[in-house]
């Protein structure tokens, strides 16, 4: 198999995994107990993951691809004194996320909007979170890097390096550089990116 065809096969596997996760969330969100359990499952690993992010109080955070169960935002809103916006290109996911946020009594802390990642304006945000299932990641990261403020950082989620042979390797655009990484216990790697000011 040629390298190009091999990479296509890996992307197909990644696409299937993304689809499966979205379907699971849409099923679980219909049951309050299971939805809360799903969010609780990710609590500790999310708190540990965001220790690599150093932000001041009242920092502005946007989560691209927040999903039907916006567990990252729900967890962070209870742990951090930041302001949060979640965006998703799935209108049904946005509606479900809004209901979930109200269930947690966090509607005053988290706002959710219908938007595609490539159409959103990232200027004014201190942290941009790119969820695992968001694609095409390289093009979106390049767009964010061009439009975000100089001090801002991106936390994007990919898989552990050991899983690259299965799901393919993410390519980081030249306008960004890696600041730090963190391997979660669920096979996801958090990559903290900052502007690459040497690449103009």
């Amino acid at each position: 198999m040629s390298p190009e065809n091999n990479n296509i096969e890996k992307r197909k596997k990644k696409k299937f995994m993304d689809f499966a996760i979205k379907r699971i969330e849409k099923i679980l969100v219909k049951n309050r107990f299971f939805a809360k359990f799903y969010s609780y499952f990710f609590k500790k690993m999310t708190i540990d993951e965001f220790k690599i992010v150093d932000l001041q109080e009242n920092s502005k955070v946007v989560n691209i691809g927040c999903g039907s169960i916006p567990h990252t935002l729900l967890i962070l809103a209870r742990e951090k004194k930041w302001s949060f916006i979640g965006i998703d290109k799935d209108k049904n996911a946005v509606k479900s996320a809004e209901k979930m946020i109200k269930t947690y009594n966090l509607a005053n802390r988290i706002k959710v909007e219908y938007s595609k990642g490539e159409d959103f304006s990232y200027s004014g945000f201190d942290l941009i979170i790119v969820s695992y299932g968001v694609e095409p990641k390289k093009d979106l990261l390049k767009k964010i890097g061009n439009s975000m403020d100089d001090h801002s950082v991106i936390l994007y989620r990919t898989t552990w390096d050991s899983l690259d042979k299965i799901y393919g390797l993410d390519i980081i655009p030249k306008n960004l550089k890696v600041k730090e990484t963190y391997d979660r216990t669920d096979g996801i790697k958090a990559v903290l990116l900052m502007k690459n000011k040497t690449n103009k």
Side-chain angles (χ1 to χ4, degrees), residues 85-103:
I85 293 178
I87 65 171
D88 204 288
K89 64 180 181 180
D90 184 332
K91 290 183 179 179
N92 291 326
V94 169
K95 291 178 181 178
S96 295
E98 288 176 335
K99 290 179 181 178
M100 191 81 178
I101 289 164
K102 288 179 181 177
T103 299

Side-chain angles (χ1 to χ4, degrees), residues 6 16 28 56 59-60 70 74 83 92 95 97 102 106 113 117 131 136 139 147 161 166 175 184 188 199-200:
N6 187 38
F16 175 78
L28 291 178
Q56 302 295 320
S59 291
K60 294 181 67 178
L74 295 171
S83 62
N92 291 326
K95 291 178 181 178
K102 288 179 181 177
L106 290 170
E113 299 179 8
S131 295
D139 293 340
S147 62
D161 292 344
I166 300 173
N175 62 341
R184 293 162 43 125
I188 298 297
N199 185 71
K200 296 292 185 180

Side-chain angles (χ1 to χ4, degrees), residues 45-83:
M45 67 181 78
T46 301
I47 292 171
D48 290 342
E49 171 188 18
F50 279 84
K51 287 178 181 178
I52 67 174
V53 179
D54 184 21
L55 294 183
Q56 302 295 320
E57 289 186 8
N58 302 316
S59 291
K60 294 181 67 178
V61 178
V62 59
N63 181 193
I64 307 166
C66 64
S68 301
I69 304 177
H71 57 81
T72 297
L73 297 177
L74 295 171
I75 294 165
L76 292 179
R78 290 185 164 186
E79 297 291 327
K80 306 289 186 180
K81 294 181 179 179
W82 304 336
S83 62

Side-chain angles (χ1 to χ4, degrees), residues 1-11 164-169 171:
M1 183 181 293
S2 69
E4 183 178 351
N5 288 338
N6 187 38
N7 193 51
I8 290 172
E9 287 301 313
K10 289 177 179 179
R11 287 299 167 187
D164 288 344
K165 291 181 179 179
I166 300 173
Y167 297 114
L169 178 66
I171 299 174

Side-chain angles (χ1 to χ4, degrees), residues 10-199:
K10 289 177 179 179
R11 287 299 167 187
K12 284 182 179 178
K13 292 176 183 177
K14 168 74 166 53
K15 191 173 182 179
F16 175 78
M17 180 62 70
D18 296 344
F19 174 79
I21 291 171
K22 289 176 183 178
R23 290 300 301 166
I24 290 170
E25 287 190 354
K26 286 186 176 183
I27 293 170
L28 291 178
V29 78
K30 295 177 182 179
N31 183 294
R32 181 179 293 186
F33 172 79
F34 288 118
K36 284 193 171 185
F37 177 80
Y38 182 78
S39 182
Y40 180 79
F41 174 78
F42 291 103
K43 183 177 179 180
K44 185 180 185 304
M45 67 181 78
T46 301
I47 292 171
D48 290 342
E49 171 188 18
F50 279 84
K51 287 178 181 178
I52 67 174
V53 179
D54 184 21
L55 294 183
Q56 302 295 320
E57 289 186 8
N58 302 316
S59 291
K60 294 181 67 178
V61 178
V62 59
N63 181 193
I64 307 166
C66 64
S68 301
I69 304 177
H71 57 81
T72 297
L73 297 177
L74 295 171
I75 294 165
L76 292 179
R78 290 185 164 186
E79 297 291 327
K80 306 289 186 180
K81 294 181 179 179
W82 304 336
S83 62
F84 301 93
I85 293 178
I87 65 171
D88 204 288
K89 64 180 181 180
D90 184 332
K91 290 183 179 179
N92 291 326
V94 169
K95 291 178 181 178
S96 295
E98 288 176 335
K99 290 179 181 178
M100 191 81 178
I101 289 164
K102 288 179 181 177
T103 299
Y104 277 75
N105 297 315
L106 290 170
N108 63 326
R109 299 284 318 284
I110 307 170
K111 305 301 179 186
V112 185
E113 299 179 8
Y114 166 72
S115 179
K116 294 180 180 179
E118 57 267 31
D119 297 333
F120 196 79
S121 175
Y122 298 98
S123 177
F125 286 92
D126 303 290
L127 170 63
I128 299 101
I129 304 167
V130 183
S131 295
Y132 172 70
V134 174
E135 294 290 347
K137 202 160 283 178
K138 181 184 176 183
D139 293 340
L140 178 59
L141 288 175
K142 184 176 180 180
K143 194 267 184 184
I144 297 171
N146 287 333
S147 62
M148 73 182 193
D149 299 335
D150 286 347
H151 74 278
S152 303
V153 292
I154 302 167
L155 187 144
Y156 94 92
R157 288 168 173 156
T158 184
T159 51
W160 289 349
D161 292 344
S162 58
L163 297 175
D164 288 344
K165 291 181 179 179
I166 300 173
Y167 297 114
L169 178 66
D170 284 334
I171 299 174
I172 297 170
K174 292 181 179 180
N175 62 341
L176 296 169
K177 63 180 181 180
V178 176
K179 185 177 181 181
E180 197 169 347
T181 64
Y182 177 80
D183 285 348
R184 293 162 43 125
T185 55
D186 59 351
I188 298 297
K189 179 174 74 172
V191 182
L192 191 65
L193 301 173
M194 60 187 293
K195 277 197 172 185
N196 184 5
K197 297 179 182 179
T198 61
N199 185 71

